[in-house]
Amino acid sequence: MSIAIRAFDLADTEAVVSLWQLTGLTRPWNNPYQDIRRKLSVQPELFLVAVDERTIIGSVMAGYDGHRGWLYYLASAPDRRGEGIGRRLVAEAEERLIEMGCPKVQLMVRPENGVARGFYESLGYEAFDTWNTGKRLIAD
């Protein structure tokens, strides 16, 4: 089995949404299909999937606003954890951000997701004592 990292293709939609649902990344207030449509209109080259043969086994969505990069929707198939899929997706996203001149990258992890926190810490990400807030501009 050979794992490839490539840009998301529209035909990957159902498999990616299923992966996000399986890994607990979806929330009722975020329509994953809308998130995909929006991402495909802005820096689609930063929406990556990990594929084994024809099976989607991972994803990450990245973005760069000229000041910092962001990572979202990092997922790996639960039955494939421990194979380095998440690490490879993050490394590829970081490399693409660096190529764009991005000097730093951030992400958000839900407080109850200690496994993800440990994963990102192992990759050199630091937790900051900041207040994170947001405001919905368009209802899904």
Side-chain angles (χ1 to χ4, degrees), residues 43-107:
Q43 299 171 329
E45 70 279 10
L46 295 180
F47 186 7
L48 306 174
V49 292
V51 182
D52 187 353
E53 299 294 323
R54 292 186 176 112
T55 303
I56 301 291
I57 56 172
S59 74
V60 68
M61 209 183 259
Y64 178 47
D65 62 14
H67 176 63
R68 71 174 51 112
W70 286 90
L71 298 181
Y72 303 94
Y73 281 118
L74 178 68
S76 63
D79 63 336
R80 303 293 300 266
R81 298 236 167 110
E83 295 182 33
I85 297 163
R87 289 176 183 277
R88 287 187 56 195
L89 284 162
V90 170
E92 181 65 25
E94 289 174 345
E95 184 59 36
R96 291 182 186 214
L97 290 168
I98 289 167
E99 288 171 4
M100 297 175 84
C102 179
K104 58 186 170 182
V105 64
Q106 291 185 231
L107 51 90

Side-chain angles (χ1 to χ4, degrees), residues 8 20 33-48 60-64 70 72-73:
F8 172 89
W20 292 350
Y33 296 97
Q34 281 284 69
D35 287 347
I36 288 171
R37 277 192 287 279
R38 289 175 179 139
K39 181 60 190 163
L40 293 178
S41 72
V42 180
Q43 299 171 329
E45 70 279 10
L46 295 180
F47 186 7
L48 306 174
V60 68
M61 209 183 259
Y64 178 47
W70 286 90
Y72 303 94
Y73 281 118

